[in-house]
Amino acid sequence: MINFKSLPQTSASMHYVDDSEAAPIIYMHKETGEYKREPAKMNKVNVNIHDARKISEEFELDMHGFKFLKNQNEPNFDHLNSKQIEKDFYPECSNIVKKFSGCKHAFAFDHNVRDYTLAKKHPNAYKPVKFAHNDYTEKSAALRLSQLDPDKTYKSFSNFGFYNIWQPLREPVVDTPLALISHNSIDTQDLIDISLIYKNRTGKILGIKHNPNHQWSYFSHMKCNEIIMIKCFDTRERVKAKFGIHAAFQNNTTASVAPSRRSIEVRTIAFF
């Protein structure tokens, strides 16, 4: 059991789904013409986020929903060149997932580069996500599996899961670091599906409502040879942590002149 009370902490605003929401919607495209929309109401709550760097080795994927990895290869690619990332970095991410999840097979299939400043001027960069979420629901995970494996090539495997590899592209990470909730502090009643409305499709992610029992952690001043491996879904019944709720936050204890956080997250699927 991790003793969070012994860790240094910072107070920061975190965006949760508001308690009044029954079927929250987030629109992923701009309004056009006279069309108006009412986005999901978020609840901005001040929470204590623990700096877990000194106990980083204690977090486990199947208990907490994430794992901190040290001494990894530093990214060596053009972060705006998607083809190069797919060729050079995807295989490395797949190997990391196989090593630390214990799965029999894995492959990477998507990624996002996040940098608030860069996102304003380049289509291959995105802003950090500042509301608490997990990338999949049970239904959207099954749908994504069918899209990635339409011919059922991997039907012989009894279970599957999704994992994200989150790594800095610029160090140290000071601006908008990534925070995560330990899965064993989450009540299932806190969870709620969120609909993401695009121009041509609708997606689903998992949102969460505030609960004072949530144990938030982050790893201060992350370097480019460090990785947070996030579990986003897991069908194995024996496993306690099925997912990892996460979000970027504004660390008010750091200088406001810090450069915008630049990171990459690679999405993978694993088969057990």
Side-chain angles (χ1 to χ4, degrees):
M1 182 71 70
I2 293 177
N3 181 14
F4 287 97
K5 293 182 179 180
S6 67
L7 300 176
Q9 62 185 30
T10 182
S11 178
S13 295
M14 187 61 66
H15 292 81
Y16 286 91
V17 175
D18 192 79
D19 289 342
S20 64
E21 287 283 354
I25 295 173
I26 295 177
Y27 294 89
M28 306 301 288
H29 60 88
K30 296 180 180 179
E31 291 185 0
T32 57
E34 297 181 354
Y35 172 71
K36 299 295 181 182
R37 63 201 187 191
E38 292 294 332
K41 185 178 180 181
M42 291 291 172
N43 182 16
K44 192 175 181 180
V45 183
N46 280 335
V47 299
N48 291 324
I49 304 177
H50 302 89
D51 183 357
R53 175 163 286 280
K54 71 177 183 180
I55 60 161
S56 60
E57 297 179 356
E58 296 187 28
F59 293 92
E60 297 297 338
L61 289 165
D62 294 343
M63 175 63 71
H64 304 98
F66 58 92
K67 186 174 181 64
F68 187 78
L69 309 178
K70 297 180 179 179
N71 302 316
Q72 302 300 303
N73 293 331
E74 293 190 17
N76 184 25
F77 48 76
D78 177 354
H79 58 278
L80 296 177
N81 187 331
S82 295
K83 294 295 184 183
Q84 185 183 7
I85 293 171
E86 292 170 11
K87 177 179 178 293
D88 297 339
F89 194 47
Y90 278 22
E92 184 174 341
C93 292
S94 300
N95 288 333
I96 291 171
V97 169
K98 284 189 283 187
K99 179 178 180 180
F100 291 100
S101 73
C103 71
K104 296 177 182 177
H105 182 73
F107 65 85
F109 59 88
D110 192 20
H111 73 273
N112 287 125
V113 170
R114 297 199 184 275
D115 181 326
Y116 188 88
T117 302
L118 195 61
K120 296 178 181 179
K121 56 186 178 181
H122 203 287
N124 285 359
Y126 301 86
K127 298 177 182 179
V129 178
K130 291 186 176 181
F131 68 91
H133 70 284
N134 180 67
D135 290 14
Y136 299 96
T137 65
E138 186 172 346
K139 289 184 177 180
S140 67
L143 175 61
R144 197 71 176 109
L145 170 65
S146 68
Q147 293 168 339
L148 293 169
D149 187 26
D151 299 325
K152 298 185 177 180
T153 304
Y154 303 103
K155 65 180 181 179
S156 61
F157 294 100
S158 55
N159 288 284
F160 74 95
F162 289 102
Y163 295 85
N164 283 4
I165 299 297
W166 192 97
Q167 187 167 14
L169 297 175
R170 181 160 59 192
E171 64 181 38
V173 174
V174 176
D175 172 68
T176 55
L178 188 70
L180 309 101
I181 303 179
S182 293
H183 188 275
N184 51 5
S185 70
I186 294 174
D187 190 315
T188 55
Q189 293 183 349
D190 304 337
L191 304 171
I192 187 168
D193 289 5
I194 299 176
S195 297
L196 301 181
I197 308 298
Y198 297 85
K199 285 186 177 181
N200 56 356
R201 65 183 178 91
T202 299
K204 292 278 188 180
I205 61 173
L206 191 62
I208 190 166
K209 298 183 177 183
H210 177 249
N211 185 325
N213 294 325
H214 293 159
Q215 295 286 1
W216 283 96
S217 299
Y218 83 109
F219 303 96
S220 60
H221 298 92
M222 279 187 67
K223 300 178 180 179
C224 291
N225 68 346
E226 296 176 327
I227 285 172
I228 302 176
M229 183 172 168
I230 310 168
K231 181 186 289 190
C232 293
F233 190 72
D234 195 333
T235 62
R236 293 174 295 169
E237 291 186 4
R238 65 171 180 80
V239 171
K240 292 183 179 180
K242 306 293 187 183
F243 52 83
I245 298 287
H246 55 280
F249 74 99
Q250 190 63 50
N251 190 347
N252 297 320
T253 64
T254 60
S256 59
V257 295
S260 60
R261 181 251 280 178
R262 183 173 295 169
S263 63
I264 186 170
E265 66 215 37
V266 175
R267 296 179 179 87
T268 72
I269 186 169
F271 298 92
F272 298 88

